[in-house]
Amino acid sequence: MRLRVEFTTEPFDLDEAPAHALVAREVIEAAELDSVDVGPFGNTAEGGAEAVLTAVDALLRRTLESGATRISLQLNVIGESGTGESESGTGEVGK
């Protein structure tokens, strides 16, 4: 199974990246993921389920320890060839 995670950490600081944002970037870029897109207002990563879930666990723990007061997270199944799931994760499984 492949997963896509999208997340943001808060509080925001438009003048300088806060410590929790730098830690989030470090965690997600060091993870064994297939694609990573880090931006100032949102971050996206994709990979196998185990790699994404491991990265999300580390992301939550380390960003909270670094001062994040809110973490918004969305996790989607994006499927694999032959599973019956569409690339957006909205298809029917097993058909």
Side-chain angles (χ1 to χ4, degrees):
M1 175 185 336
R2 289 187 49 77
L3 301 176
R4 175 184 301 126
V5 62
E6 299 173 51
F7 66 92
T8 58
T9 61
E10 296 179 40
F12 293 115
D13 184 340
L14 296 177
D15 295 327
E16 184 177 333
H20 60 80
L22 297 175
V23 166
R25 181 178 193 153
E26 174 186 305
V27 167
I28 212 72
E29 288 181 341
E32 296 179 19
L33 301 171
D34 299 333
S35 75
V36 173
D37 182 21
V38 177
F41 300 107
N43 308 284
T44 305
E46 293 182 11
E50 192 60 36
V52 171
L53 294 173
T54 298
V56 167
D57 178 62
L59 174 83
L60 294 172
R61 293 174 189 278
R62 294 199 45 213
T63 56
L64 289 170
E65 291 169 357
S66 297
T69 58
R70 178 180 173 131
I71 303 164
S72 300
L73 181 107
Q74 180 173 307
L75 188 68
N76 293 299
V77 174
I78 56 174
E80 291 181 1
S81 295
T83 64
E85 294 181 15
S86 70
E87 281 303 304
S88 66
T90 58
E92 294 182 37
V93 177
K95 293 201 175 193

